[in-house]
Amino acid sequence: MPATMIGPDLDALHPMPGHERVTFIRNLDLPENVEVGAYSYYDDPAGPQAFLDAILYHFPFIGDRLVIGKFCALAAGKRFLMNGGNHRLDGLSTYPFSIFGGDWIGRFEGELNFPNRGDTRIGNDVWLGYRSTVMPGVSIGDGAVVAAHAVVAADVPPYAIVAGNPAKVVRRRFSDEVAARLQAVAWWDWPIERITADLPLISGGDIAALEMAAREG
């Protein structure tokens, strides 16, 4: 395999020369509670800071994480709403009196028990469309597609296409059986030289051929 078959510079902030709207996300100064895999990119004319600005209500003391896999494509205007934006629903009012301190804190047991749905996880090879929104604690499976303007409030199966508010599965890209085979191959974990050499298979439609390439290593 030629040594030059390595693809774009993984360490480049802007991997497409002349297109500073496209950013390899992992090369940003990410907070400790955000993890992004190799080659996942964000495309926004507002520039790379827009990615960080669109992670909302993500306070370190809450402890939730945003985890994005490898080879994901994130369109402009996407938003992640994290657990810091949740309000209590078990009282008569949803107003978060206690966060303002003073005489409004220390008044009753459980006043700071805001809902926490856990980490938000985006799999590998996921496409988040223009102005899509991902709600707290959602998991989006490998190979899934989120349509433009969709609001994802529930987990998305691998290789599903979801749209709407709240987002619903409109169709599956592949059958459950083929989706499981693709996840078993996990081409996104291969060395980049191997991915580059096998791009015709990865971008093609023959799962058996890709499996054969995986076995041959």
Side-chain angles (χ1 to χ4, degrees):
M1 183 185 303
T4 56
M5 299 186 70
I6 58 173
D9 181 0
L10 179 58
D11 296 321
L13 181 62
H14 302 296
M16 297 174 60
H19 296 277
E20 294 192 354
R21 59 177 289 158
V22 178
T23 302
F24 274 166
I25 304 167
R26 71 173 231 157
N27 297 325
L28 292 170
D29 185 14
L30 297 173
E32 291 186 2
N33 51 6
V34 176
E35 176 185 332
V36 182
Y39 300 100
S40 288
Y41 73 88
Y42 180 58
D43 178 6
D44 193 324
Q49 183 63 36
F51 172 84
L52 298 171
D53 292 343
I55 305 173
L56 304 176
Y57 316 118
H58 201 195
F59 306 119
F61 62 84
I62 292 179
D64 59 340
R65 296 186 303 149
L66 171 61
V67 181
I68 300 173
K70 303 173 183 177
F71 294 94
C72 292
L74 280 60
K78 65 91 200 84
R79 288 182 301 237
F80 296 102
L81 274 58
M82 305 301 289
N83 285 286
N86 289 333
H87 291 221
R88 292 177 55 245
L89 299 178
D90 53 348
L92 299 182
S93 172
T94 63
Y95 192 84
F97 293 94
S98 57
I99 70 171
F100 296 102
D103 292 333
W104 283 5
I105 193 167
R107 300 297 302 277
F108 62 93
E109 184 178 354
E111 63 183 351
L112 294 176
N113 292 340
F114 297 104
N116 189 329
R117 299 181 176 91
D119 294 343
T120 298
R121 295 185 173 272
I122 314 299
N124 304 286
D125 193 25
V126 172
W127 175 18
L128 299 184
Y130 177 68
R131 289 191 175 177
S132 56
T133 300
V134 179
M135 300 298 285
V138 164
S139 291
I140 298 178
D142 297 327
V145 175
V146 176
H149 296 277
V151 178
V152 184
D155 291 351
V156 177
Y159 293 95
I161 299 174
V162 298
N165 181 6
K168 304 292 184 184
V169 175
V170 295
R171 70 178 178 90
R172 302 294 294 271
R173 293 182 56 204
F174 304 105
S175 67
D176 289 342
E177 183 257 342
V178 171
R181 291 164 65 186
L182 282 165
Q183 288 182 285
V185 167
W187 60 263
W188 42 80
D189 290 331
W190 295 359
I192 193 58
E193 295 86 355
R194 186 176 168 198
I195 291 174
T196 304
D198 285 331
L199 278 183
L201 298 177
I202 294 170
S203 298
D206 189 341
I207 178 62
L210 186 60
E211 288 173 324
M212 182 175 295
R215 288 192 295 269
E216 293 175 350

